[in-house]
Amino acid sequence: MAARRRRLTVVAAVATAALAAGLTTGCDAVDKALDCVQTADTIADNVTDLQQAVENAANDPSQADESLDSIERSLRKIGDKTDNTDVNKAVDDLDKAVGNVRTAIRNGDETPDVSPVTDAAGELTKVCTS
């Protein structure tokens, strides 16, 4: 339910940003903004998967690794498509948080703190929709 509400909020913000950007800039800016938001939405889903994977790590430790891989792939997509300083900083912060969780898991932490990943993903979504 919270994920659906978050998605609706993101969609509304995208529509507003796209309309505003379309009125003041060309289509390329709108396309980039939509790509950023769509990828940020995918990352939000990946973060939810990561949280569930960490909760179920005893049953299947590989799920967390798969979620981290998925987040990193999405981050590369955003990083390759933007030259926006704020977006790039948010991508770097999220990438660092993902790396820290991955390191914690490799060092044997069965319940790593994923809140920095959640916070960084939230910041990326905020930057993409502003």
Side-chain angles (χ1 to χ4, degrees):
M1 190 66 126
R4 173 172 271 180
R5 204 170 309 131
R6 180 178 56 233
R7 238 184 234 109
L8 290 174
T9 302
V10 168
V11 169
V14 170
T16 302
L19 178 60
L23 294 174
T24 60
T25 62
C27 291
D28 284 347
V30 174
D31 289 342
K32 284 183 181 182
L34 288 173
D35 285 345
C36 183
V37 171
Q38 289 168 345
T39 305
D41 188 43
T42 299
I43 289 172
D45 291 342
N46 296 150
V47 170
T48 300
D49 293 345
L50 174 62
Q51 290 169 326
Q52 292 172 348
V54 167
E55 290 172 11
N56 298 323
N59 298 333
D60 186 0
S62 68
Q63 281 184 340
D65 241 3
E66 290 170 18
S67 295
L68 292 169
D69 290 345
S70 188
I71 293 170
E72 287 174 333
R73 281 192 299 275
S74 296
L75 288 175
R76 281 192 297 275
K77 284 182 189 176
I78 293 176
D80 291 346
K81 291 182 179 182
T82 188
D83 57 359
N84 181 293
T85 305
D86 293 333
V87 172
N88 283 326
K89 182 182 179 333
V91 166
D92 290 345
D93 291 348
L94 182 51
D95 191 43
K96 181 179 178 184
V98 166
N100 289 340
V101 170
R102 189 181 299 279
T103 299
I105 290 170
R106 286 185 181 152
N107 289 339
D109 187 348
E110 293 180 8
T111 56
D113 180 13
V114 297
S115 62
V117 174
T118 304
D119 294 345
E123 183 62 25
L124 177 60
T125 299
K126 180 177 146 188
V127 169
C128 283
T129 58
S130 62

